Amino acid sequence: MSNETTFEPRIVAFLCNWCTYAGADLAGTGRKQYQANVRIIKLPCTGGIDPLFLIKAFERGADGILVSGCHPGDCHYNSGNYHARRRWNVFKPLLEFCGINPDRIQFSWISAAEGGKWVETINSVIDAVRVLGPFEGYQKINAIGPEGPGEGFAPSSDTTGCECK
Amino acid sequence: MIEALRKKAEELLKNKTVSVVFGYGEGSTPERTRPVFITKPEEVNKLTWNKYCVYNLTTYLKRQETRKLGKPAIVVKGCDARTLIVLMKESQIKREDVYILGVSCDGVGDPLAEKCKACDVHTPRIYDDLIGEKGENKELPFDERYAELDEYENLSEKEKWEFWQKQFEKCIKCYACSNICPLCFCDRCIVEKNQPQWIDPSAHARGNLSWNVTRAYHLAGRCINCEECQRVCPVDIPLNLLNKKLAKEAEKNFNYRPGYNIDDELAMSTYNEKDNQDFVR
Ligand code: SF4
Ligand code: SF4
Ligand code: SF4
């Protein structure tokens, strides 16, 4: 168990149903281990991921985000990931312009066959965010009133991972 | 120029080409103008033109009250005319729905508006009639057009965060910025939707960040840099820096300037298989 001084980042991963989610699943069935800091949200397609989802994740206490879907050309709906890539091309720089570290919001292409790449990618996202530390800046603005965390804000000390090995 | 403008307006109203003229009228002091909506030929003397004509009148194309007045002729500067191109490309208006009275413009505001310092559309790129001299527009180099951003892009990450937090903190969620924007035309803005509540409606720092980022993002590859949102913001948040940053990224990555070339496809509703993906793992 982590003691109170070690920081365990909370990572939210937005994965497309057809590729990266299946890739992460493959890592699981292959008994590949990765760090338990990630909460996965499965969506039909990266093309349906409104950047507002990503802001909301930060709002609700995420320290880092990974968005991942099918490789270009592999989208189940033909072009969803191409459209998504366009949006990321402007959205990521906008967040950086506002002072959000680029390592806190990362993107990847991981196919259903790439269980290994999933493990590698998510581990490196988690490690990078662990180095950055908690997203204090954002968590501070989450506080409602001078007293501290408001509604919907989860305390940052616990990292409840899945226990199965 | 004013005479030419009035004469044209009178003619258009008389021969019923249009039923209303959206233009600038004199304001309460000489340094102000206000929008006027002329429906009778004998009222065209209310129209004026000077360097205080800052407003982008195309915003009245989205309003029910002014839409009701019938087909408009609309007075536009070069920057405003770009809005019309975007609106047409986004199927909000048809070319034949508006009569475009372009005015050639050397710059507005006192001091000169930021947008005018790097303007390359002094003569509107689309019009039915041009009032004033037809000048030769020369496209300014990319770096020059976005020079305003350099200072802010060069801040450290921490400085950026602190700068914007200070700005966003001031936001009172009055929505003047989206209200004035001619391209913010959704009947229900995302900020008004509460099932689920995507953006906190209170003027609290958390929702303020989400709101300001989202508003700017929804204008990505669309904003034509009229600076109206920033002008109306009662707490002086430099919204245009956000808009401009997005415009810069859209142009850099997709080689697209909103409302500039009428034949270009809308950047955010298309894609290219070769789009930049250096940042994708
Ligand atoms: S940006 Fe250009 S067209 Fe627009 S007001 Fe300034 S000088 Fe005139
Ligand atoms: S976002 Fe602001 S500058 Fe851009 S078009 Fe709208 S009002 Fe004009
Ligand atoms: S106009 Fe200014 S204060 Fe009002 S909602 Fe927009 S950013 Fe906030």
PDB file of all heavy atoms in Angstrom, chain B residues 47-77:
ATOM      1  N   LEU B  47     -27.401  56.783 -41.869  1.00  0.00           N
ATOM      2  CA  LEU B  47     -26.198  55.956 -42.063  1.00  0.00           C
ATOM      3  C   LEU B  47     -24.935  56.797 -42.001  1.00  0.00           C
ATOM      4  O   LEU B  47     -24.900  57.934 -42.471  1.00  0.00           O
ATOM      5  CB  LEU B  47     -26.250  55.262 -43.427  1.00  0.00           C
ATOM      6  CG  LEU B  47     -27.225  54.106 -43.567  1.00  0.00           C
ATOM      7  CD1 LEU B  47     -27.353  53.723 -45.028  1.00  0.00           C
ATOM      8  CD2 LEU B  47     -26.793  52.917 -42.721  1.00  0.00           C
ATOM      9  N   THR B  48     -23.911  56.228 -41.420  1.00  0.00           N
ATOM     10  CA  THR B  48     -22.638  56.930 -41.395  1.00  0.00           C
ATOM     11  C   THR B  48     -21.503  55.941 -41.566  1.00  0.00           C
ATOM     12  O   THR B  48     -21.710  54.727 -41.604  1.00  0.00           O
ATOM     13  CB  THR B  48     -22.488  57.729 -40.080  1.00  0.00           C
ATOM     14  OG1 THR B  48     -21.362  58.581 -40.199  1.00  0.00           O
ATOM     15  CG2 THR B  48     -22.283  56.815 -38.875  1.00  0.00           C
ATOM     16  N   TRP B  49     -20.328  56.479 -41.703  1.00  0.00           N
ATOM     17  CA  TRP B  49     -19.137  55.630 -41.792  1.00  0.00           C
ATOM     18  C   TRP B  49     -17.942  56.426 -41.282  1.00  0.00           C
ATOM     19  O   TRP B  49     -17.697  57.544 -41.736  1.00  0.00           O
ATOM     20  CB  TRP B  49     -18.893  55.154 -43.240  1.00  0.00           C
ATOM     21  CG  TRP B  49     -17.531  54.544 -43.382  1.00  0.00           C
ATOM     22  CD1 TRP B  49     -16.454  55.073 -44.033  1.00  0.00           C
ATOM     23  CD2 TRP B  49     -17.093  53.307 -42.808  1.00  0.00           C
ATOM     24  NE1 TRP B  49     -15.373  54.236 -43.894  1.00  0.00           N
ATOM     25  CE2 TRP B  49     -15.731  53.146 -43.150  1.00  0.00           C
ATOM     26  CE3 TRP B  49     -17.703  52.321 -42.028  1.00  0.00           C
ATOM     27  CZ2 TRP B  49     -14.969  52.051 -42.738  1.00  0.00           C
ATOM     28  CZ3 TRP B  49     -16.954  51.233 -41.625  1.00  0.00           C
ATOM     29  CH2 TRP B  49     -15.601  51.100 -41.984  1.00  0.00           C
ATOM     30  N   ASN B  50     -17.253  55.883 -40.310  1.00  0.00           N
ATOM     31  CA  ASN B  50     -16.027  56.513 -39.814  1.00  0.00           C
ATOM     32  C   ASN B  50     -15.216  55.474 -39.057  1.00  0.00           C
ATOM     33  O   ASN B  50     -15.580  54.295 -39.020  1.00  0.00           O
ATOM     34  CB  ASN B  50     -16.371  57.709 -38.901  1.00  0.00           C
ATOM     35  CG  ASN B  50     -17.274  57.293 -37.749  1.00  0.00           C
ATOM     36  OD1 ASN B  50     -17.059  56.250 -37.126  1.00  0.00           O
ATOM     37  ND2 ASN B  50     -18.312  58.082 -37.472  1.00  0.00           N
ATOM     38  N   LYS B  51     -14.138  55.932 -38.458  1.00  0.00           N
ATOM     39  CA  LYS B  51     -13.243  54.952 -37.834  1.00  0.00           C
ATOM     40  C   LYS B  51     -13.802  54.375 -36.530  1.00  0.00           C
ATOM     41  O   LYS B  51     -13.167  53.536 -35.905  1.00  0.00           O
ATOM     42  CB  LYS B  51     -11.866  55.559 -37.605  1.00  0.00           C
ATOM     43  CG  LYS B  51     -11.838  56.660 -36.580  1.00  0.00           C
ATOM     44  CD  LYS B  51     -10.395  57.029 -36.244  1.00  0.00           C
ATOM     45  CE  LYS B  51     -10.390  58.281 -35.390  1.00  0.00           C
ATOM     46  NZ  LYS B  51      -9.089  58.692 -34.939  1.00  0.00           N
ATOM     47  N   TYR B  52     -14.947  54.846 -36.127  1.00  0.00           N
ATOM     48  CA  TYR B  52     -15.533  54.270 -34.912  1.00  0.00           C
ATOM     49  C   TYR B  52     -16.534  53.152 -35.214  1.00  0.00           C
ATOM     50  O   TYR B  52     -17.236  52.674 -34.329  1.00  0.00           O
ATOM     51  CB  TYR B  52     -16.189  55.374 -34.066  1.00  0.00           C
ATOM     52  CG  TYR B  52     -15.186  56.425 -33.671  1.00  0.00           C
ATOM     53  CD1 TYR B  52     -15.198  57.676 -34.248  1.00  0.00           C
ATOM     54  CD2 TYR B  52     -14.192  56.126 -32.733  1.00  0.00           C
ATOM     55  CE1 TYR B  52     -14.241  58.633 -33.910  1.00  0.00           C
ATOM     56  CE2 TYR B  52     -13.233  57.065 -32.385  1.00  0.00           C
ATOM     57  CZ  TYR B  52     -13.262  58.321 -32.983  1.00  0.00           C
ATOM     58  OH  TYR B  52     -12.317  59.246 -32.645  1.00  0.00           O
ATOM     59  N   CYS B  53     -16.601  52.788 -36.470  1.00  0.00           N
ATOM     60  CA  CYS B  53     -17.532  51.715 -36.848  1.00  0.00           C
ATOM     61  C   CYS B  53     -16.893  50.354 -36.563  1.00  0.00           C
ATOM     62  O   CYS B  53     -16.531  49.621 -37.483  1.00  0.00           O
ATOM     63  CB  CYS B  53     -17.902  51.845 -38.325  1.00  0.00           C
ATOM     64  SG  CYS B  53     -18.794  53.366 -38.673  1.00  0.00           S
ATOM     65  N   VAL B  54     -16.761  50.055 -35.304  1.00  0.00           N
ATOM     66  CA  VAL B  54     -16.043  48.839 -34.926  1.00  0.00           C
ATOM     67  C   VAL B  54     -16.892  47.572 -35.041  1.00  0.00           C
ATOM     68  O   VAL B  54     -16.370  46.497 -35.280  1.00  0.00           O
ATOM     69  CB  VAL B  54     -15.497  48.918 -33.481  1.00  0.00           C
ATOM     70  CG1 VAL B  54     -14.322  49.866 -33.403  1.00  0.00           C
ATOM     71  CG2 VAL B  54     -16.580  49.326 -32.510  1.00  0.00           C
ATOM     72  N   TYR B  55     -18.188  47.703 -34.852  1.00  0.00           N
ATOM     73  CA  TYR B  55     -19.031  46.501 -34.738  1.00  0.00           C
ATOM     74  C   TYR B  55     -19.009  45.630 -35.981  1.00  0.00           C
ATOM     75  O   TYR B  55     -18.867  46.119 -37.088  1.00  0.00           O
ATOM     76  CB  TYR B  55     -20.497  46.878 -34.449  1.00  0.00           C
ATOM     77  CG  TYR B  55     -20.635  47.979 -33.454  1.00  0.00           C
ATOM     78  CD1 TYR B  55     -21.130  49.222 -33.821  1.00  0.00           C
ATOM     79  CD2 TYR B  55     -20.228  47.773 -32.143  1.00  0.00           C
ATOM     80  CE1 TYR B  55     -21.215  50.244 -32.906  1.00  0.00           C
ATOM     81  CE2 TYR B  55     -20.313  48.791 -31.215  1.00  0.00           C
ATOM     82  CZ  TYR B  55     -20.803  50.022 -31.603  1.00  0.00           C
ATOM     83  OH  TYR B  55     -20.867  51.019 -30.694  1.00  0.00           O
ATOM     84  N   ASN B  56     -19.206  44.346 -35.732  1.00  0.00           N
ATOM     85  CA  ASN B  56     -19.383  43.408 -36.830  1.00  0.00           C
ATOM     86  C   ASN B  56     -20.886  43.162 -36.958  1.00  0.00           C
ATOM     87  O   ASN B  56     -21.482  42.410 -36.188  1.00  0.00           O
ATOM     88  CB  ASN B  56     -18.638  42.102 -36.517  1.00  0.00           C
ATOM     89  CG  ASN B  56     -18.772  41.089 -37.624  1.00  0.00           C
ATOM     90  OD1 ASN B  56     -19.567  41.252 -38.543  1.00  0.00           O
ATOM     91  ND2 ASN B  56     -18.001  40.027 -37.532  1.00  0.00           N
ATOM     92  N   LEU B  57     -21.495  43.832 -37.929  1.00  0.00           N
ATOM     93  CA  LEU B  57     -22.964  43.809 -38.021  1.00  0.00           C
ATOM     94  C   LEU B  57     -23.521  42.459 -38.444  1.00  0.00           C
ATOM     95  O   LEU B  57     -24.736  42.235 -38.363  1.00  0.00           O
ATOM     96  CB  LEU B  57     -23.436  44.895 -39.002  1.00  0.00           C
ATOM     97  CG  LEU B  57     -23.063  46.332 -38.616  1.00  0.00           C
ATOM     98  CD1 LEU B  57     -23.434  47.285 -39.741  1.00  0.00           C
ATOM     99  CD2 LEU B  57     -23.747  46.764 -37.327  1.00  0.00           C
ATOM    100  N   THR B  58     -22.670  41.571 -38.883  1.00  0.00           N
ATOM    101  CA  THR B  58     -23.188  40.269 -39.330  1.00  0.00           C
ATOM    102  C   THR B  58     -23.819  39.488 -38.180  1.00  0.00           C
ATOM    103  O   THR B  58     -24.523  38.523 -38.401  1.00  0.00           O
ATOM    104  CB  THR B  58     -22.085  39.408 -39.974  1.00  0.00           C
ATOM    105  OG1 THR B  58     -21.074  39.165 -38.998  1.00  0.00           O
ATOM    106  CG2 THR B  58     -21.468  40.085 -41.175  1.00  0.00           C
ATOM    107  N   THR B  59     -23.548  39.903 -36.953  1.00  0.00           N
ATOM    108  CA  THR B  59     -24.157  39.210 -35.818  1.00  0.00           C
ATOM    109  C   THR B  59     -25.681  39.324 -35.864  1.00  0.00           C
ATOM    110  O   THR B  59     -26.388  38.485 -35.324  1.00  0.00           O
ATOM    111  CB  THR B  59     -23.598  39.736 -34.471  1.00  0.00           C
ATOM    112  OG1 THR B  59     -24.012  38.849 -33.434  1.00  0.00           O
ATOM    113  CG2 THR B  59     -24.064  41.143 -34.152  1.00  0.00           C
ATOM    114  N   TYR B  60     -26.192  40.359 -36.550  1.00  0.00           N
ATOM    115  CA  TYR B  60     -27.653  40.516 -36.616  1.00  0.00           C
ATOM    116  C   TYR B  60     -28.309  39.527 -37.569  1.00  0.00           C
ATOM    117  O   TYR B  60     -29.526  39.412 -37.594  1.00  0.00           O
ATOM    118  CB  TYR B  60     -28.015  41.961 -36.978  1.00  0.00           C
ATOM    119  CG  TYR B  60     -27.618  42.890 -35.861  1.00  0.00           C
ATOM    120  CD1 TYR B  60     -26.489  43.692 -35.956  1.00  0.00           C
ATOM    121  CD2 TYR B  60     -28.335  42.889 -34.663  1.00  0.00           C
ATOM    122  CE1 TYR B  60     -26.087  44.495 -34.902  1.00  0.00           C
ATOM    123  CE2 TYR B  60     -27.937  43.696 -33.594  1.00  0.00           C
ATOM    124  CZ  TYR B  60     -26.818  44.485 -33.725  1.00  0.00           C
ATOM    125  OH  TYR B  60     -26.426  45.258 -32.675  1.00  0.00           O
ATOM    126  N   LEU B  61     -27.470  38.817 -38.309  1.00  0.00           N
ATOM    127  CA  LEU B  61     -28.055  37.795 -39.183  1.00  0.00           C
ATOM    128  C   LEU B  61     -28.547  36.599 -38.388  1.00  0.00           C
ATOM    129  O   LEU B  61     -29.323  35.796 -38.876  1.00  0.00           O
ATOM    130  CB  LEU B  61     -27.020  37.340 -40.217  1.00  0.00           C
ATOM    131  CG  LEU B  61     -26.600  38.395 -41.236  1.00  0.00           C
ATOM    132  CD1 LEU B  61     -25.448  37.883 -42.079  1.00  0.00           C
ATOM    133  CD2 LEU B  61     -27.774  38.786 -42.116  1.00  0.00           C
ATOM    134  N   LYS B  62     -28.067  36.446 -37.162  1.00  0.00           N
ATOM    135  CA  LYS B  62     -28.490  35.281 -36.375  1.00  0.00           C
ATOM    136  C   LYS B  62     -29.658  35.605 -35.455  1.00  0.00           C
ATOM    137  O   LYS B  62     -30.188  34.731 -34.802  1.00  0.00           O
ATOM    138  CB  LYS B  62     -27.309  34.732 -35.566  1.00  0.00           C
ATOM    139  CG  LYS B  62     -26.907  35.578 -34.364  1.00  0.00           C
ATOM    140  CD  LYS B  62     -25.850  34.893 -33.495  1.00  0.00           C
ATOM    141  CE  LYS B  62     -25.545  35.705 -32.241  1.00  0.00           C
ATOM    142  NZ  LYS B  62     -24.531  35.095 -31.378  1.00  0.00           N
ATOM    143  N   ARG B  63     -30.030  36.858 -35.373  1.00  0.00           N
ATOM    144  CA  ARG B  63     -31.048  37.230 -34.403  1.00  0.00           C
ATOM    145  C   ARG B  63     -32.456  37.227 -34.991  1.00  0.00           C
ATOM    146  O   ARG B  63     -32.683  37.789 -36.057  1.00  0.00           O
ATOM    147  CB  ARG B  63     -30.756  38.629 -33.839  1.00  0.00           C
ATOM    148  CG  ARG B  63     -29.745  38.572 -32.733  1.00  0.00           C
ATOM    149  CD  ARG B  63     -29.136  39.904 -32.456  1.00  0.00           C
ATOM    150  NE  ARG B  63     -27.713  39.708 -32.256  1.00  0.00           N
ATOM    151  CZ  ARG B  63     -27.166  39.451 -31.072  1.00  0.00           C
ATOM    152  NH1 ARG B  63     -27.890  39.441 -29.991  1.00  0.00           N
ATOM    153  NH2 ARG B  63     -25.880  39.230 -30.973  1.00  0.00           N
ATOM    154  N   GLN B  64     -33.365  36.631 -34.260  1.00  0.00           N
ATOM    155  CA  GLN B  64     -34.749  36.565 -34.710  1.00  0.00           C
ATOM    156  C   GLN B  64     -35.313  37.954 -35.015  1.00  0.00           C
ATOM    157  O   GLN B  64     -35.941  38.175 -36.041  1.00  0.00           O
ATOM    158  CB  GLN B  64     -35.642  35.901 -33.644  1.00  0.00           C
ATOM    159  CG  GLN B  64     -35.338  34.436 -33.402  1.00  0.00           C
ATOM    160  CD  GLN B  64     -35.431  33.597 -34.663  1.00  0.00           C
ATOM    161  OE1 GLN B  64     -36.170  33.914 -35.577  1.00  0.00           O
ATOM    162  NE2 GLN B  64     -34.634  32.543 -34.736  1.00  0.00           N
ATOM    163  N   GLU B  65     -35.067  38.896 -34.088  1.00  0.00           N
ATOM    164  CA  GLU B  65     -35.655  40.233 -34.207  1.00  0.00           C
ATOM    165  C   GLU B  65     -35.259  40.895 -35.524  1.00  0.00           C
ATOM    166  O   GLU B  65     -36.081  41.554 -36.174  1.00  0.00           O
ATOM    167  CB  GLU B  65     -35.191  41.153 -33.061  1.00  0.00           C
ATOM    168  CG  GLU B  65     -35.385  40.623 -31.676  1.00  0.00           C
ATOM    169  CD  GLU B  65     -34.192  39.798 -31.202  1.00  0.00           C
ATOM    170  OE1 GLU B  65     -33.885  38.780 -31.876  1.00  0.00           O
ATOM    171  OE2 GLU B  65     -33.583  40.151 -30.191  1.00  0.00           O
ATOM    172  N   THR B  66     -33.998  40.747 -35.889  1.00  0.00           N
ATOM    173  CA  THR B  66     -33.542  41.421 -37.098  1.00  0.00           C
ATOM    174  C   THR B  66     -33.794  40.577 -38.349  1.00  0.00           C
ATOM    175  O   THR B  66     -33.979  41.104 -39.437  1.00  0.00           O
ATOM    176  CB  THR B  66     -32.052  41.799 -36.979  1.00  0.00           C
ATOM    177  OG1 THR B  66     -31.373  40.784 -36.267  1.00  0.00           O
ATOM    178  CG2 THR B  66     -31.894  43.105 -36.253  1.00  0.00           C
ATOM    179  N   ARG B  67     -33.841  39.274 -38.166  1.00  0.00           N
ATOM    180  CA  ARG B  67     -34.167  38.404 -39.299  1.00  0.00           C
ATOM    181  C   ARG B  67     -35.579  38.716 -39.811  1.00  0.00           C
ATOM    182  O   ARG B  67     -35.855  38.636 -41.001  1.00  0.00           O
ATOM    183  CB  ARG B  67     -34.138  36.945 -38.870  1.00  0.00           C
ATOM    184  CG  ARG B  67     -32.802  36.286 -39.097  1.00  0.00           C
ATOM    185  CD  ARG B  67     -32.831  34.904 -38.515  1.00  0.00           C
ATOM    186  NE  ARG B  67     -31.562  34.234 -38.748  1.00  0.00           N
ATOM    187  CZ  ARG B  67     -31.364  33.323 -39.697  1.00  0.00           C
ATOM    188  NH1 ARG B  67     -32.334  32.937 -40.476  1.00  0.00           N
ATOM    189  NH2 ARG B  67     -30.186  32.772 -39.844  1.00  0.00           N
ATOM    190  N   LYS B  68     -36.440  39.068 -38.858  1.00  0.00           N
ATOM    191  CA  LYS B  68     -37.844  39.336 -39.198  1.00  0.00           C
ATOM    192  C   LYS B  68     -38.002  40.510 -40.150  1.00  0.00           C
ATOM    193  O   LYS B  68     -39.022  40.653 -40.806  1.00  0.00           O
ATOM    194  CB  LYS B  68     -38.635  39.624 -37.910  1.00  0.00           C
ATOM    195  CG  LYS B  68     -39.290  38.371 -37.339  1.00  0.00           C
ATOM    196  CD  LYS B  68     -40.326  38.730 -36.303  1.00  0.00           C
ATOM    197  CE  LYS B  68     -39.676  38.891 -34.992  1.00  0.00           C
ATOM    198  NZ  LYS B  68     -40.344  38.997 -33.772  1.00  0.00           N
ATOM    199  N   LEU B  69     -36.968  41.367 -40.194  1.00  0.00           N
ATOM    200  CA  LEU B  69     -37.086  42.569 -41.016  1.00  0.00           C
ATOM    201  C   LEU B  69     -37.003  42.272 -42.510  1.00  0.00           C
ATOM    202  O   LEU B  69     -37.213  43.143 -43.319  1.00  0.00           O
ATOM    203  CB  LEU B  69     -35.998  43.568 -40.618  1.00  0.00           C
ATOM    204  CG  LEU B  69     -36.063  44.061 -39.172  1.00  0.00           C
ATOM    205  CD1 LEU B  69     -34.837  44.911 -38.841  1.00  0.00           C
ATOM    206  CD2 LEU B  69     -37.336  44.863 -38.921  1.00  0.00           C
ATOM    207  N   GLY B  70     -36.700  41.048 -42.863  1.00  0.00           N
ATOM    208  CA  GLY B  70     -36.636  40.697 -44.285  1.00  0.00           C
ATOM    209  C   GLY B  70     -35.217  40.721 -44.810  1.00  0.00           C
ATOM    210  O   GLY B  70     -34.253  40.846 -44.054  1.00  0.00           O
ATOM    211  N   LYS B  71     -35.115  40.621 -46.124  1.00  0.00           N
ATOM    212  CA  LYS B  71     -33.776  40.542 -46.716  1.00  0.00           C
ATOM    213  C   LYS B  71     -32.960  41.803 -46.451  1.00  0.00           C
ATOM    214  O   LYS B  71     -33.397  42.909 -46.748  1.00  0.00           O
ATOM    215  CB  LYS B  71     -33.885  40.310 -48.230  1.00  0.00           C
ATOM    216  CG  LYS B  71     -32.511  40.280 -48.897  1.00  0.00           C
ATOM    217  CD  LYS B  71     -32.549  39.936 -50.354  1.00  0.00           C
ATOM    218  CE  LYS B  71     -31.153  40.136 -50.940  1.00  0.00           C
ATOM    219  NZ  LYS B  71     -31.043  39.708 -52.328  1.00  0.00           N
ATOM    220  N   PRO B  72     -31.780  41.640 -45.881  1.00  0.00           N
ATOM    221  CA  PRO B  72     -30.980  42.821 -45.562  1.00  0.00           C
ATOM    222  C   PRO B  72     -29.897  43.122 -46.585  1.00  0.00           C
ATOM    223  O   PRO B  72     -29.384  42.237 -47.269  1.00  0.00           O
ATOM    224  CB  PRO B  72     -30.317  42.432 -44.241  1.00  0.00           C
ATOM    225  CG  PRO B  72     -30.123  40.950 -44.354  1.00  0.00           C
ATOM    226  CD  PRO B  72     -31.212  40.415 -45.276  1.00  0.00           C
ATOM    227  N   ALA B  73     -29.561  44.417 -46.653  1.00  0.00           N
ATOM    228  CA  ALA B  73     -28.263  44.801 -47.202  1.00  0.00           C
ATOM    229  C   ALA B  73     -27.430  45.078 -45.972  1.00  0.00           C
ATOM    230  O   ALA B  73     -27.916  45.663 -45.005  1.00  0.00           O
ATOM    231  CB  ALA B  73     -28.386  46.055 -48.048  1.00  0.00           C
ATOM    232  N   ILE B  74     -26.204  44.629 -45.979  1.00  0.00           N
ATOM    233  CA  ILE B  74     -25.433  44.733 -44.755  1.00  0.00           C
ATOM    234  C   ILE B  74     -24.088  45.398 -45.035  1.00  0.00           C
ATOM    235  O   ILE B  74     -23.420  45.073 -46.011  1.00  0.00           O
ATOM    236  CB  ILE B  74     -25.300  43.344 -44.100  1.00  0.00           C
ATOM    237  CG1 ILE B  74     -24.491  43.402 -42.825  1.00  0.00           C
ATOM    238  CG2 ILE B  74     -24.716  42.309 -45.027  1.00  0.00           C
ATOM    239  CD1 ILE B  74     -24.710  42.177 -41.964  1.00  0.00           C
ATOM    240  N   VAL B  75     -23.784  46.388 -44.214  1.00  0.00           N
ATOM    241  CA  VAL B  75     -22.522  47.110 -44.389  1.00  0.00           C
ATOM    242  C   VAL B  75     -21.414  46.330 -43.701  1.00  0.00           C
ATOM    243  O   VAL B  75     -21.496  46.061 -42.508  1.00  0.00           O
ATOM    244  CB  VAL B  75     -22.617  48.537 -43.792  1.00  0.00           C
ATOM    245  CG1 VAL B  75     -21.289  49.274 -43.946  1.00  0.00           C
ATOM    246  CG2 VAL B  75     -23.750  49.321 -44.448  1.00  0.00           C
ATOM    247  N   VAL B  76     -20.429  45.927 -44.480  1.00  0.00           N
ATOM    248  CA  VAL B  76     -19.340  45.138 -43.886  1.00  0.00           C
ATOM    249  C   VAL B  76     -17.961  45.673 -44.264  1.00  0.00           C
ATOM    250  O   VAL B  76     -17.714  46.085 -45.389  1.00  0.00           O
ATOM    251  CB  VAL B  76     -19.397  43.645 -44.295  1.00  0.00           C
ATOM    252  CG1 VAL B  76     -20.565  42.932 -43.656  1.00  0.00           C
ATOM    253  CG2 VAL B  76     -19.420  43.470 -45.804  1.00  0.00           C
ATOM    254  N   LYS B  77     -17.091  45.626 -43.277  1.00  0.00           N
ATOM    255  CA  LYS B  77     -15.670  45.880 -43.519  1.00  0.00           C
ATOM    256  C   LYS B  77     -15.060  44.569 -43.998  1.00  0.00           C
ATOM    257  O   LYS B  77     -15.707  43.515 -43.978  1.00  0.00           O
ATOM    258  CB  LYS B  77     -14.995  46.332 -42.214  1.00  0.00           C
ATOM    259  CG  LYS B  77     -15.732  47.450 -41.499  1.00  0.00           C
ATOM    260  CD  LYS B  77     -15.021  47.889 -40.230  1.00  0.00           C
ATOM    261  CE  LYS B  77     -15.114  46.943 -39.058  1.00  0.00           C
ATOM    262  NZ  LYS B  77     -16.439  46.783 -38.466  1.00  0.00           N
TER     263      LYS B  77
END
